[in-house]
Amino acid sequence: MHGAQAARHTELVRRIRAEGHEIGSNTYTGAVLRESSAPRFRAELDMTQSALAGATGQRTNLLRMPRTTTPDTLCGREWDAARRAAGYGYVLVAADRGSRKPAQGVVRQLSQTESAYQEARRLLRNRAVERFTTVSDGLGLVPYAAPSLVERWLGRGLIGITGLGQTFATAMIWILGVAGGLGVLRLLLLALFAKIMAWRPEGRQRPRLRPADGVASEPYPVADHALRPAGTSK
């Protein structure tokens, strides 16, 4: 599980844990650990543990490295990152090959697609499978560790900050949406008023100017010398 999602959906995390499922770390944001710097590497793991400690009061010992599937994909720099994570006490989890039969015991990787849901349904209905278990139970490992009081408080603080961030983001979306709607309404009103001002009934003519009563309408004579520049003579 991504730690960022655990911090956002604490009730769902508690429900998953209460129903007997095992929760492992998939880093905080799904970062590729082989490409992460040392501080980022440690932060991705520690922040996930903080989120789980704040949500469930437990620390997980399992790690599924992002962008990895079967053990064959743990090679090169990915293998170096896996060894570093193991040095922090994690048990790395990888999926078995697709050719391995469920009756032999398998770890399946299922994505969030319709085909994956269908595969999960077939797996759950497979009569050749005697039982389903967690990774730690199947390997005889201790699944969780108790976090310290400081880790729990840090986790609750992280969850609280995440909630505030979600509230702020939601509020900004509404504010921007309302502002955008008002802007569009203003443009429509301006276009409507401009159309009304420019519209005139068909056949209507502009009024002609008439000379006022008592004012001569004949042109005023202008002397010829008034039209010539100064200093010239005719």
Side-chain angles (χ1 to χ4, degrees):
M1 178 179 294
H2 289 169
Q5 297 300 327
R8 293 189 184 100
H9 308 287
T10 55
E11 292 299 326
L12 179 59
V13 175
R14 295 189 187 101
R15 177 184 171 185
I16 292 172
R17 182 70 191 95
E19 291 181 359
H21 303 286
E22 188 170 13
I23 299 174
S25 172
N26 194 222
T27 72
Y28 194 77
T29 62
V32 181
L33 294 181
R34 70 172 182 272
E35 300 174 358
S36 302
S37 61
R40 173 74 182 277
F41 188 101
R42 193 60 188 266
E44 288 284 339
L45 300 180
D46 290 348
M47 291 179 68
T48 302
Q49 294 288 11
S50 295
L52 292 177
T56 65
Q58 295 175 324
R59 288 173 54 90
T60 182
N61 296 323
L62 302 181
L63 173 64
R64 176 65 177 273
M65 294 180 59
R67 308 285 182 86
T68 62
T69 52
T70 63
D72 298 341
T73 60
L74 297 174
C75 57
R77 295 175 60 187
E78 205 75 64
W79 177 249
D80 295 335
R83 294 183 62 183
R84 287 177 59 189
Y88 293 140
Y90 286 95
V91 176
L92 272 70
V93 180
D96 288 311
R97 293 178 178 275
S99 59
R100 186 177 176 87
K101 302 299 182 182
Q104 297 174 305
V106 294
V107 176
R108 282 281 187 259
Q109 175 183 348
L110 301 175
S111 58
Q112 299 177 1
T113 61
E114 181 61 29
S115 60
Y117 290 136
Q118 296 298 332
E119 182 181 352
R121 186 178 292 109
R122 289 194 298 269
L123 183 62
L124 292 173
R125 294 177 178 177
N126 191 336
R127 296 183 178 181
V129 179
E130 295 181 0
R131 68 187 182 98
F132 294 91
T133 185
T134 63
V135 173
S136 295
D137 189 27
L139 297 176
L141 303 175
V142 177
Y144 297 100
S148 64
L149 183 61
V150 174
E151 289 177 317
R152 291 188 181 186
W153 280 107
L154 288 175
R156 292 173 183 173
L158 177 62
I159 292 171
I161 292 173
T162 302
L164 289 176
Q166 284 184 285
T167 302
F168 178 77
T170 303
M172 289 301 298
I173 290 173
W174 277 102
I175 291 173
L176 293 175
V178 172
L182 292 176
V184 172
L185 179 61
R186 179 175 178 270
L187 291 176
L188 292 176
L189 291 176
L190 288 175
L192 179 61
F193 291 154
K195 186 175 181 179
I196 292 175
M197 295 298 294
W199 178 82
R200 287 184 174 82
E202 187 176 353
R204 182 177 177 182
Q205 297 180 352
R206 294 177 179 270
R208 295 182 178 181
L209 296 177
R210 296 181 179 179
D213 296 337
V215 179
S217 59
E218 290 79 6
Y220 185 80
V222 180
D224 182 63
H225 63 81
L227 300 176
R228 294 196 300 270
T232 62
S233 59
K234 185 174 178 181

